[in-house]
Structures are given as C-alpha cells and as structure tokens.
Amino acid sequence: MTVQEITQALGLEVLSAGNPDASVEGCYICDLLSLAMSKVSEHDAWITVQTNINIVAIAVLTELSCVIIAEKMQVDESVLEKAREENVAVLRSDKSAFEIAMEIGNRL
C-alpha cells in the first residue's frame, strides 16, 4: 500500500504530506526514540505519540514512509515545518497505536 492509500483507508489527518506515493510495507510502534531509530525498517509506518522534532530526524535517517501520531496528540507547528522541509509524511489519528497497527496489518 501507499501512504495515500493508508491515509484514505484509515481516515488519517494529514499534517505534512511527504510523499503520498511512498510504499508502506510494515509498521512499527514505539515511543522510545532511540529504540525506534534502531528497530524501524525502511518503508515502515512508524506509530508513536512522540511529537518532538526528533521524529522528523528519525524518519529521514531510517527512510520511513510516514510517521503516524496516535491518540490525536498535538504536534507543534515548528515540527511540521521541518517535516515539510524534509518531505516527511506526518499523519494523525484519534485511535490508539494498537488500533492503527491492526488496521494497517489487516490491509498489508
């Protein structure tokens, strides 16, 4: 699936568009930034409640397809500006990380 297909299928809010055609091949749930950086795979959707600027850095370094913010957490505009600058897709849902992962897993 693509980021755009997952966005539409799950009804996600787009905070930063990134590359809507990027392939999503799996997902990873983690809120510990250092662990996410070492465990996430290229082309994953990373599901987290973290919203600081480091989510953008991790997305760029690991070549994630997108970052999905769970629980409708607020993301500072400066983080979103950096995400747009780096072409990182940041999406948001009011659902829990588990619910989001289950929906993605059922579609992959």
Side-chain angles (χ1 to χ4, degrees):
M1 294 190 79
T2 65
V3 170
Q4 182 174 8
E5 290 169 337
I6 285 179
T7 300
Q8 291 172 345
L10 275 63
L12 301 174
E13 178 183 3
V14 178
L15 303 178
S16 172
N19 177 5
D21 296 323
S23 175
V24 176
E25 298 172 6
C27 67
Y28 185 75
I29 303 171
C30 185
D31 296 322
L32 184 60
L33 298 174
S34 59
L35 185 60
M37 188 167 54
S38 68
K39 297 289 186 178
V40 74
S41 298
E42 183 179 354
H43 304 296
D44 272 355
W46 174 28
I47 306 167
T48 183
V49 295
Q50 288 289 339
T51 62
N52 67 52
I53 193 76
N54 292 324
I55 65 172
V56 177
I58 291 169
V60 171
L61 287 171
T62 60
E63 299 182 24
L64 287 169
S65 297
C66 62
V67 178
I68 303 174
I69 306 299
E71 307 284 346
K72 195 80 171 178
M73 300 297 290
Q74 293 300 311
V75 183
D76 191 72
E77 186 57 35
S78 64
V79 173
L80 297 177
E81 287 174 15
K82 186 65 174 173
R84 292 178 193 118
E85 180 183 309
E86 296 289 343
N87 200 35
V88 171
V90 179
L91 312 169
R92 183 167 58 186
S93 175
D94 59 349
K95 296 176 182 171
S96 72
F98 175 78
E99 291 171 309
I100 296 164
M102 288 296 294
E103 289 188 30
I104 290 172
N106 288 334
R107 288 171 169 78
L108 292 181

